[in-house]
Amino acid sequence: ENKIYLGYCGNCGNPHSSEFIKEVINSINPQSQHLVLAVYGIKAEEIKAYAQNKEGVTILKSVPRNELHHIDVHLVTLVNSWTHVAVPSKAISSICSGATILFCGNKESDNWVLLQDAGWLIEDDHQMCQNVKKTVASLNLAEITKQKNNANVIAKERDSLVQESYAIIASWAK
């Protein structure tokens, strides 16, 4: 359909910004974009209620891991006070599935430092709402394809790092 699919798939708890997700909901252009929400956690009901009956938004119970690659841009959020305390696993899952991320958080966050070549950053600050609007409006398939290619490179690098780590641990065990 030549639509861009965005998704928030996973937990929305204390470390995550429901304000960011709501702002993305407000910014979706239903003619060219669609948002998939498969959210659980302490802030999930608030988000689902907000998204109910919004054009361009589908609420699902879950998205299987082997289907994550169908979402072009995964929403990832980590509020500033949780930087270097928590790491949103959905960022790594998204990149390893060959997708991109729209990360709302601190540019010094481990996730952003490691994954920035495969996504877009919205800083968790007083300009967040206007930056979400600008960024969501600017998303295009050509740039997403470029970022997906970067995601595949990052995923291979991470996999190699894991394999090397296992080999080192195995050598120590001998």
Side-chain angles (χ1 to χ4, degrees):
E1 293 182 28
N2 290 328
K3 278 196 176 186
I4 295 170
Y5 285 87
L6 295 94
Y8 190 91
C9 305
N11 184 31
C12 192
N14 289 328
H16 310 110
S17 171
S18 58
E19 181 183 355
F20 166 68
I21 299 167
K22 289 178 188 176
E23 198 55 49
V24 172
I25 292 167
N26 292 339
S27 301
I28 289 292
N29 175 351
Q31 304 307 311
S32 60
Q33 300 170 328
H34 195 87
L35 175 63
V36 174
L37 288 175
V39 61
Y40 63 89
I42 195 167
K43 299 177 183 176
E45 292 310 313
E46 165 194 352
I47 293 166
K48 289 191 271 188
Y50 189 83
Q52 196 68 40
N53 299 319
K54 298 271 187 180
E55 189 179 3
V57 179
T58 299
I59 301 171
L60 301 173
K61 287 189 188 253
S62 66
V63 175
R65 185 175 294 273
N66 65 345
E67 299 292 327
L68 289 175
H69 68 280
H70 293 297
I71 296 172
D72 299 306
V73 181
H74 287 264
L75 307 180
V76 178
T77 173
L78 184 64
V79 295
N80 283 332
S81 61
W82 283 83
T83 301
H84 304 306
V85 175
V87 177
S89 59
K90 65 182 69 60
I92 296 293
S93 300
S94 302
I95 298 300
C96 289
S97 73
T100 66
I101 60 171
L102 176 57
F103 177 70
C104 179
N106 186 307
K107 66 182 175 190
E108 304 299 323
S109 165
D110 299 340
N111 272 11
W112 184 247
V113 170
L114 290 172
L115 307 175
Q116 63 186 306
D117 290 338
W120 298 265
L121 172 68
I122 305 288
E123 293 222 48
D124 181 23
D125 61 19
H126 66 282
Q127 295 180 23
M128 187 259 294
C129 293
Q130 60 201 57
N131 289 334
V132 167
K133 284 179 179 42
K134 278 193 286 186
T135 303
V136 170
S138 73
L139 293 173
N140 64 71
L141 292 172
E143 186 64 23
I144 289 170
T145 299
K146 176 184 165 200
Q147 300 293 55
K148 283 183 174 186
N149 290 335
N150 291 345
N152 288 324
V153 170
I154 291 169
K156 286 178 185 168
E157 289 170 353
R158 298 295 141 229
D159 188 49
S160 293
L161 184 60
V162 167
Q163 297 307 317
E164 289 171 22
S165 298
Y166 286 151
I168 290 169
I169 293 168
S171 72
W172 290 341
K174 291 179 183 179

